[in-house]
Amino acid sequence: MAPMGIRLSPLGMAVFCLLGLGVLYHLYSGFLAGRFAFFMLSEPAAGGPEAPRGSAPAGAVDLRELLAVSVLAAVRGGEEVKRVREGNVLNAKAKGKTREGAEEQLTSGDLLSNRRMFYLLKGAFPAVQINSEEHVDTADQETVSWDRSIPEDIKQKIQPKEVPAESVTVWIDPLDATQEYTEDLRQYVTTMVCVAVNGKPVIGVIHKPFSAYTAWAMVDGGSNVKPRSSYNEKTPRIIVSRSHAGKVEQVARQTFGNRTVIIPAGGAGYKVLALLDVAEKNQEEADVYIHVTYIKKWDICAGNAVLRALGGHMTTLTGEEITYTGSDGNEGGLIASINMNHKALIEKLPDLEKTSHK
């Protein structure tokens, strides 16, 4: 007699499936629990130590951290500048001539400051493009570490803000006003760092090594410096370069009258600070900063960022914004102001644009 077939009702089939799922659960529950526990342990516990800043997400840069290390870099570079000058070991030599034929000086202060600033910034943010006035000798590489601490004044005023690393360009001027430095005109000397994002200056740091004064600002963030309470638009005090004054004095007095005061000074950083409320006895005050010849971007980027952050302007003599990508030079001269009608200033000085290309 043939064996009888076993038939399961729909209810029996459901019970059979449930039993099978139960067996699978017991087989794999231990494995899954172990994986879950590993995952949880690999994450930082609430209230536990933070993961190192700047490590995630990959390819991003926190501008608040970049501001903090930029301030530190300007100060560290300034220490080298001051040490070399006070030790009178400048070892000054000519490195070339400007377009106007003036001799450009290079000193040990430039080189040592540049090395300290460059490697501090590069070590903290290796994925960021850094442009510096002086050549970086890879054979002379220096390890300069940053402990990733952020000063309290920056913490209080600036919120973290991440941007893609590839959008960032850092401009370093390790010693602004080298000519004046060799002449021991210390009040004009600064070290500067600027951070541009997609070509726009957003962070500026200007440090005066011989007085330990540092101005910093971040666009849409905050600053430790402010504009003065008033400016003279009718007969402005105009600050210009000692060595590249060009025709500024003649044209300015034709435009604003013979009472217009022209202040010759060294260093682009010093000239920008002259437009602001800086409590320093050796810091002159001006209402407008004008430069009519070719100028390098590391000379002006930090000042441009500071002015932008405070609501001011730095443009070419025709009113165009200066872009901090591509070439390292600005052909169109510059005019800088704050809390003034910048467009009206440009319209009053139409002849200056012609001199900027000479």
Side-chain angles (χ1 to χ4, degrees), residues 25-324:
Y25 171 79
H26 284 289
L27 286 173
Y28 288 98
S29 60
F31 172 78
L32 292 171
R35 296 302 296 168
F36 180 75
F38 174 80
F39 173 78
M40 292 301 290
L41 287 171
S42 67
E43 293 293 312
E50 270 182 51
R53 289 199 224 49
S55 60
V61 172
D62 181 0
L63 291 180
R64 184 172 74 165
E65 290 188 343
L66 193 44
L67 168 59
V69 77
S70 295
V71 170
L72 182 60
V75 171
R76 292 279 179 84
E79 291 170 355
E80 296 297 318
V81 168
K82 184 179 180 182
R83 182 177 62 81
V84 168
R85 178 67 267 183
E86 291 184 343
N88 199 28
V89 286
L90 276 67
N91 298 316
K93 60 182 180 180
K95 70 174 183 179
K97 291 184 180 293
T98 67
R99 290 188 178 185
E100 295 76 37
E103 194 171 80
E104 286 191 294
Q105 295 287 315
L106 179 68
T107 71
S108 296
D110 295 91
L111 297 174
L112 293 172
S113 174
N114 184 68
R115 185 174 69 178
R116 181 62 57 89
M117 294 173 72
F118 178 86
Y119 285 115
L120 177 56
L121 286 157
K122 199 65 178 176
F125 294 95
V128 165
Q129 171 69 32
I130 300 176
N131 296 337
S132 177
E133 178 173 10
E134 307 305 339
H135 174 70
V136 178
D137 188 351
T138 54
D140 198 25
Q141 185 169 346
E142 180 178 352
T143 301
V144 186
S145 61
W146 176 46
D147 63 6
R148 310 203 80 83
S149 63
I150 299 177
E152 283 302 317
D153 59 340
I154 294 178
K155 276 186 180 179
Q156 292 172 7
K157 296 179 180 180
I158 307 293
Q159 295 299 313
K161 182 179 180 181
E162 290 182 343
V163 296
E166 64 268 21
S167 69
V168 175
T169 306
V170 177
W171 295 84
I172 299 174
D173 193 341
L175 201 170
D176 189 36
T178 299
Q179 180 61 45
E180 287 73 19
Y181 182 66
T182 63
E183 297 172 22
D184 209 16
L185 299 173
R186 304 182 184 194
Q187 70 270 26
Y188 297 127
V189 175
T190 63
T191 57
M192 296 188 286
V193 181
C194 176
V195 177
V197 178
N198 295 320
K200 295 182 178 181
V202 298
I203 289 174
V205 180
I206 304 174
H207 175 69
K208 300 180 79 172
F210 296 102
S211 65
Y213 173 83
T214 306
W216 59 260
M218 177 172 157
V219 175
D220 298 327
S223 69
N224 71 341
V225 64
K226 62 183 180 179
R228 297 200 309 272
S229 58
S230 63
Y231 295 85
N232 189 338
E233 293 195 52
K234 291 184 178 179
T235 54
R237 292 164 295 181
I238 301 176
I239 194 163
V240 300
S241 172
R242 292 174 71 233
S243 53
H244 308 115
K247 296 182 179 180
V248 178
E249 183 170 351
Q250 177 185 349
V251 175
R253 289 197 167 134
Q254 287 175 352
T255 304
F256 297 107
N258 290 330
R259 294 177 60 189
T260 301
V261 176
I262 303 297
I263 305 171
Y270 178 89
K271 297 184 189 80
V272 169
L273 292 179
L275 306 182
L276 305 176
D277 185 6
V278 175
E280 292 243 311
K281 65 178 182 179
N282 289 329
Q283 179 64 61
E284 295 165 286
E285 292 185 353
D287 301 301
V288 181
Y289 166 28
I290 295 175
H291 189 88
V292 298
T293 58
Y294 175 84
I295 191 168
K296 292 298 183 72
K297 290 179 181 177
W298 41 67
D299 289 321
I300 59 176
C301 186
N304 197 340
V306 170
L307 289 173
R308 281 190 71 218
L310 298 176
H313 302 275
M314 180 185 287
T315 65
T316 66
L317 295 171
T318 57
E320 297 174 355
E321 296 293 335
I322 301 167
T323 302
Y324 295 91

